[in-house]
């Protein structure tokens, strides 16, 4: 069910939301959190689709806030039932002066006594925790991969980091980190003496993986960006150097990786690029601060040397 509310107020939206739940037989008691999506119209629908998919694991109330110039006005749309997955979605489009106070627009629509998560699918404030929406949230999700200059964006994220911040560029690394940790948990248990990470220049995950390995292994880490015309997205390879030979985890084509280890046959692994829905669902599983991400974006980033140039 979809209810359009042109030129409305947040109190009217709240009343219509209660009415829609009662008429549709939907209850709010099973909602575990409020997810606020701050997005422009061009990415709002894809973000809603990802949230609806994630809601099957995390039933929630989704508040989508878009702001634009123009005469002061608030338009809203309520989606419940099959149009909202396992969530209930409130889309707020604020114009002109009506968009000047983002916090007041959403406060009356938050679920009582439930955690609040804010997600910026594209442009995020320079200091998310200090922003009007960030101040009312326990978790704040950004995506450095959408920035024009990913290195500059990582520097900003590290400089402004506050516990509760996280970034989807870090979430996309989960399977890479799992594979590398599994390899190092197997004999022979020899120390790693060096690391090399290669990936796309458009991927902040390259630097974050290098920073994580620098912290975890406490060894020098070389990292380099592959030319864009050779590798379009994500991590390409990780090489771990040990005295008995190198371990190489390489993704020669999207979706598939090859693990090469001394004295063993090559292993082909399924290592696809993670979907937006998968990354969002993972972030919503934990509402406490991701302290490891905090260390990587601050300490790990500062320990890295500049990336090497690749011809």
């Amino acid at each position: 069910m979809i209810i359009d509310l042109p030129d409305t107020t947040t109190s009217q939206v709240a009343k219509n939301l209660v009415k829609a739940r009662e008429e549709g037989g939907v209850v709010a008691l099973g909602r575990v959190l409020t997810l606020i999506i701050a997005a422009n119209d061009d990415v709002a629908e894809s973000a809603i689709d990802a949230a609806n998919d994630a809601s099957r694991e995390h039933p929630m109330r989704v508040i989508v806030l878009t702001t634009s110039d123009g005469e002061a006005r608030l338009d809203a749309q309520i989606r419940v039932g099959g149009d909202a997955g396992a969530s209930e979605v409130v889309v707020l489009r604020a114009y002109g002066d009506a968009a000047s106070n983002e916090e007041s627009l959403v406060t009356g629509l938050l679920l009582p006594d439930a955690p609040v998560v804010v997600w910026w699918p594209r442009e995020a404030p320079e200091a998310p925790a200090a922003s009007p929406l960030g101040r009312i949230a326990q978790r704040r999700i950004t995506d450095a991969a959408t920035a024009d200059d990913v290195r500059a964006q990582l520097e900003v994220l590290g400089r402004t980091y506050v516990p509760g911040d996280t970034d989807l560029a870090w979430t996309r690394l989960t399977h890479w980190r799992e594979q590398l940790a599994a390899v190092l948990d197997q004999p022979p248990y020899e120390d790693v003496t060096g690391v090399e990470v290669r990936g796309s220049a458009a991927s902040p995950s390259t630097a974050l993986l290098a920073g994580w390995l620098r912290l975890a292994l406490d060894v020098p880490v070389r990292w380099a960006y592959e030319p864009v015309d050779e590798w379009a997205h994500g991590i390409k390879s990780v090489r771990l150097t040990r005295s008995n030979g190198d371990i190489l985890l390489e993704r020669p084509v999207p979706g598939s990786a090859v693990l090469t280890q001394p004295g063993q046959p090559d292993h082909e692994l399924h290592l696809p690029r993670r979907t937006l829905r998968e990354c969002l669902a993972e972030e919503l599983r934990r509402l406490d601060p991701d302290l490891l991400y905090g260390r990587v974006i601050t300490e790990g980033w500062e320990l890295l040397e500049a990336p090497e140039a690749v011809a």
Side-chain angles (χ1 to χ4, degrees):
M1 178 169 60
I2 297 179
I3 303 170
D4 289 311
L5 300 170
D7 198 7
T8 188
T9 64
T10 52
S11 61
Q12 287 297 319
V13 174
K15 290 177 182 178
N16 278 273
L17 184 59
V18 173
K19 182 179 178 182
R21 284 205 311 267
E22 291 175 346
E23 292 179 352
V26 179
V27 297
L29 296 178
R31 307 291 185 244
V32 297
L33 61 92
T34 301
L35 174 65
I36 302 172
I37 304 175
N40 295 329
D41 281 331
D42 58 340
V43 298
E45 286 302 326
S46 61
I48 292 172
D49 288 343
N52 284 345
D53 283 345
S55 73
R56 291 173 172 82
E57 182 178 340
H58 313 281
M60 56 188 162
R61 175 173 294 172
V62 180
I63 303 173
V64 184
L65 178 61
T66 69
T67 58
S68 304
D69 296 331
E71 184 178 349
R73 187 177 82 255
L74 176 65
D75 295 338
Q77 185 181 80
I78 297 172
R79 307 178 189 180
V80 294
D83 296 294
S87 62
E88 49 192 15
V89 179
V90 180
V91 181
L92 303 176
R93 293 185 172 88
Y95 301 87
D97 290 342
S100 61
N101 192 333
E102 295 179 332
E103 183 177 351
S104 67
L105 287 172
V106 302
T107 299
L109 300 173
L110 303 178
L111 289 172
D113 303 319
V116 177
V117 180
V118 179
W119 173 31
W120 293 272
R122 188 166 290 176
E123 296 88 357
E126 182 169 330
S131 68
L133 295 179
R135 286 195 297 265
I136 63 175
Q138 284 73 45
R139 292 294 304 275
R140 296 162 294 275
I141 305 172
T142 55
D143 192 351
T146 64
D148 294 331
D149 186 336
V150 296
R151 287 189 62 198
Q153 183 64 19
L154 289 175
E155 290 175 0
V156 170
L157 291 174
R159 186 172 66 249
T160 62
Y161 172 77
V162 172
D165 293 353
T166 193
D167 194 275
L168 295 184
W170 171 249
T171 322
R172 294 186 186 103
L173 290 174
T174 298
H175 293 333
W176 280 89
R177 295 192 295 120
E178 289 173 345
Q179 291 291 347
L180 292 169
V183 169
L184 294 176
D185 275 344
Q186 300 172 8
Y189 304 105
E190 297 197 3
D191 292 338
V192 174
T193 57
V195 176
E196 179 186 70
V197 179
R198 292 174 178 264
S200 165
S203 171
S205 299
T206 303
L208 291 176
L209 184 59
W212 172 68
L213 289 166
R214 177 67 178 83
L215 277 178
L217 300 176
D218 194 22
V219 297
V221 175
R222 300 167 53 203
W223 62 295
Y225 287 135
E226 293 288 322
V228 174
D229 59 346
E230 291 186 18
W231 189 256
H233 301 289
I235 308 295
K236 181 175 182 180
S237 66
V238 177
R239 183 182 298 273
L240 307 177
T241 300
R242 299 196 294 195
S243 60
N244 70 326
D246 289 357
I247 298 170
L248 177 63
L249 180 60
E250 184 175 24
R251 187 163 56 181
V253 295
S256 180
V258 178
L259 176 63
T260 303
Q261 302 180 81
Q264 297 187 30
D266 291 351
H267 295 280
E268 187 168 329
L269 306 172
H270 183 57
L271 195 60
R273 183 174 174 83
R274 305 190 74 194
T275 66
L276 187 59
R277 181 266 171 204
E278 290 172 329
C279 292
L280 180 62
E282 178 178 325
E283 286 301 333
L284 296 179
R285 286 184 199 123
R286 56 176 304 164
L287 297 175
D288 58 316
D290 187 342
L291 299 181
L292 179 56
Y293 164 75
R295 290 193 62 206
V296 170
I297 197 65
T298 54
E299 300 172 43
W301 173 255
E302 291 179 357
L303 289 171
L304 288 180
E305 303 290 339
E308 298 180 1
V310 177

